[in-house]
Structure formats: structure tokens, C-alpha cells
């Protein structure tokens, strides 16, 4: 989707900086958009490209109606190039292909923009190859790198880019953004949106994933914690096998156990899953507040496991252990 800066929420500082580059006509050849996944980096980069191409730019970026804006929106602006991983990583061949294209004359008289996303998926060889282009970019060419983890980029790349930092939003802001999306507002209940925003780490993108992933997951976890059911435990654990994104998978149990731990210690403040409160309160009696605290800790340490961890065994062990002890 190509929008304007008006579509980028909660990133006023980053947007102001980008607009300043455009207004002064001093657009750096290398720009690094970095910050938590799903907070609007790519949306901002895309709006920035529109604004670069637009012949009738306004205060919010591209006008959306001129020839260049329409070309870019349709994904076919000849001066726009995108480099993304075909499989796991961006490879040196991908960068070489880009360099070949950049060595040819541009089709249009507009600036040229290259979006590299996620740039932290470049192999070290690819990053080294890109260095040359960052050092001596062809005239009128801007490289936009989008990275979730700046620490995964070689310092030589980082130091050659102007850094645009994107910060996590407050849960409240995430909730407002989600509720403002018509198809989300109509599909999910306000409590569900509230819950997803609360465990999104300030990322609207992640909150959306949590919402989609959580369909029925929270209820399932309340049941799993309420009574020992070996068959259900085995089945749940099997669904974790090979799960690509542990932080997404663990969001539902984490929010449920966190809520029960709060309820069991006698407070209702800050409960995420308001809609499940009765079931949560019933489950709370199964353990002492300390017991729930230990379970929460165990889940938190699971959420920090490396991607190659044996997730199926981990969940199975957690649940059997949970029902064994008080
Ligand atoms: Zn335009």
C-alpha cells in the first residue's frame, strides 16, 4: 500500500525529519529507517518515495493524483526499485542485479529510489557489496534501508546512512490505530483489540498478528490451565512444533497467565483479557499467587528462547509441570 505521511501514526519526529529533507531538497543518498517491526517504517519509506516522485507535493507527501504518484501507487514507477529476500536472505547476487540496473540510465527524470527491506536480512557479502553504492551512489539516487534490528547491520552500512528512528507506540495509540481500521473494528470486539494492543510491544503490526493468531487461542489456554487434560496438552504442544515466530505464539498464554497472576494476587487493575475475567478468576484458585508468579516467569523465559529451541517439548514440559505442582 502506498499512502502519505498522514497514514503514519505516532511517529511525528521521524515524519518531521523526512519532510525537512524534502523541503530543503537535501535528501541524503542513504536513509536507514529502523525500529521495532510493525511500527510504520515501511509505510513511511513508501510515503517518502511517493513524495520524492510527486510533481505536486503537499504537506503530507505525494498528492496521490499526478502521473508519478499514480505510477508509484500501481507499483510500476520505473524509477522505483525494491530489494527483498527471495527466501531467507538478501544475497550478493540481489545487490549485484541492483547495481547493474542503477548503472543504466533512469527512465524518468524523477529521482531514483531503492527500497531495501528488511535490510537486516542482507548477508554480510551482500552488505559489503552494497557499501560501494552507498559510498558513491549514482546522481539523484536514494537508498532507503528498512531494518528492524540495527545491530544486525554492519556498522559500515549504518555509518553511511542518515538514521531515522521509529519508536514503539503506547498501547493506547496502538489500540486507537487498530480500532480506526474499519475491517478490524468490525471483526473484533473492543476487548480483543485492547488485549492485542496491550501485548503488542507498541507495534500495530504485531498487534494485528496477535489478533489474527489469537482467534480462540486465549480461551484454549484458559481451558488448558483450568484442568489437566493430557490429550489437549499434547495437541497444543504439537501445534508449536516449527512455529516460526515464538513471540507471536506465546502472546496468548502470556497474556492469560499474566492476568491470572494479577487476579490471584488480588488486583484487577491492568487486566488484559477483560472479556474472560470470570473464567480467569475461576482458574486463579488452582495455584497460590507465588505459584502463578513462577508460571509467569517460566513463560517469560520461554519467550526469550532462541528460534531453534525445541518449542513442542518446551510447551509440553511447561504444561505438565504446571499441573504437577501447586
Ligand atoms: Zn503526486
Amino acid at each position: 500500500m502506498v499512502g502519505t505521511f498522514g497514514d503514519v501514526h505516532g511517529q511525528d519526529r521521524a515524519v518531521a525529519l523526512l519532510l525537512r529533507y524534502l523541503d530543503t531538497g537535501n535528501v541524503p543518498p542513504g536513509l536507514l529507517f529502523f525500529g521495532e517491526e510493525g511500527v510504520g517504517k515501511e509505510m513511511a519509506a513508501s510515503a517518502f518515495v511517493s513524495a520524492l516522485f510527486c510533481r505536486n507535493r503537499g504537506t503530507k507527501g505525494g498528492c496521490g493524483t499526478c502521473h508519478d504518484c499514480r505510477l508509484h501507487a500501481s507499483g510500476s514507477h520505473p524509477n522505483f526499485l525494491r530489494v527483498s529476500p527471495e527466501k531467507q536472505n538478501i544475497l550478493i547476487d540481489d545487490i549485484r542485479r541492483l547495481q547493474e540496473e542503477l548503472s543504466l540510465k533512469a527512465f524518468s527524470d524523477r529521482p531514483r529510489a531503492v527500497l531495501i527491506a528488511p535490510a537486516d536480512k542482507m548477508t554480510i557479502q551482500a552488505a559489503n557489496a552494497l557499501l560501494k553504492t552507498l559510498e558513491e551512489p549514482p546522481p539523484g539516487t536514494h537508498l532507503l534501508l528498512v531494518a528492524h534490528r540495527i545491530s544486525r547491520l554492519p556498522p559500515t552500512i549504518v555509518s553511511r546512512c542518515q538514521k531515522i528512528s521509529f519508536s514503539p507506540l503506547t498501547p493506547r495509540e496502538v489500540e486507537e490505530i487498530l480500532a480506526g481500521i474499519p475491517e478490524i473494528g468490525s471483526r473484533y470486539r473492543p476487548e480483543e483489540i485492547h488485549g492485542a494492543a496491550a501485548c503488542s510491544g507498541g507495534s500495530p503490526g504485531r498487534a494485528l498478528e496477535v489478533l489474527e493468531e489469537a482467534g480462540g487461542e486465549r480461551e484454549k489456554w484458559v481451558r488448558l490451565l483450568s484442568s489437566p487434560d493430557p490429550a489437549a496438552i499434547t495437541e497444543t504442544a504439537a501445534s508449536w512444533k516449527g512455529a516460526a515466530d515464538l513471540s507471536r505464539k506465546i502472546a496468548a498464554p502470556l497474556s492469560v497467565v499474566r492476568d491470572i497472576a494479577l487476579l490471584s494476587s488480588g488486583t484487577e487493575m491492568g487486566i488484559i483479557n477483560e472479556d474472560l475475567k470470570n473464567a480467569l478468576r475461576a482458574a486463579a484458585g488452582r495455584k497460590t499467587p507465588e505459584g502463578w508468579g513462577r508460571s509467569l516467569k517460566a513463560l517469560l523465559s520461554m519467550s526469550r528462547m532462541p528460534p531453534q529451541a525445541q518449542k513442542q517439548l518446551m510447551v509440553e514440559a511447561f504444561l505438565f509441570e504446571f499441573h504437577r505442582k501447586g
Side-chain angles (χ1 to χ4, degrees), residues 50 54-57 62-66 68-69:
S50 277
C54 181
R55 291 169 198 267
N56 194 17
R57 184 160 48 82
C63 70
T65 51
C66 73
D68 287 277
C69 277

Side-chain angles (χ1 to χ4, degrees), residues 274-319:
E274 281 280 351
D275 53 325
L276 301 176
K277 202 150 75 185
N278 288 336
L280 294 171
R281 204 179 279 126
R286 290 188 48 87
K287 276 184 186 291
T288 61
E290 293 73 34
W292 283 108
R294 279 194 296 277
S295 299
L296 182 59
K297 237 191 206 155
L299 271 179
L300 282 170
S301 66
M302 263 166 70
S303 71
R304 289 189 288 265
M305 289 286 178
Q308 67 273 19
Q310 298 284 332
K311 301 168 197 90
Q312 182 176 4
L313 294 179
M314 233 161 54
V315 176
E316 211 164 53
F318 169 78
L319 280 168

Side-chain angles (χ1 to χ4, degrees), residues 126-139:
N128 282 336
L130 184 70
L131 263 187
K132 220 185 302 161
T133 310
L134 270 174
E135 278 163 357
E136 291 170 43

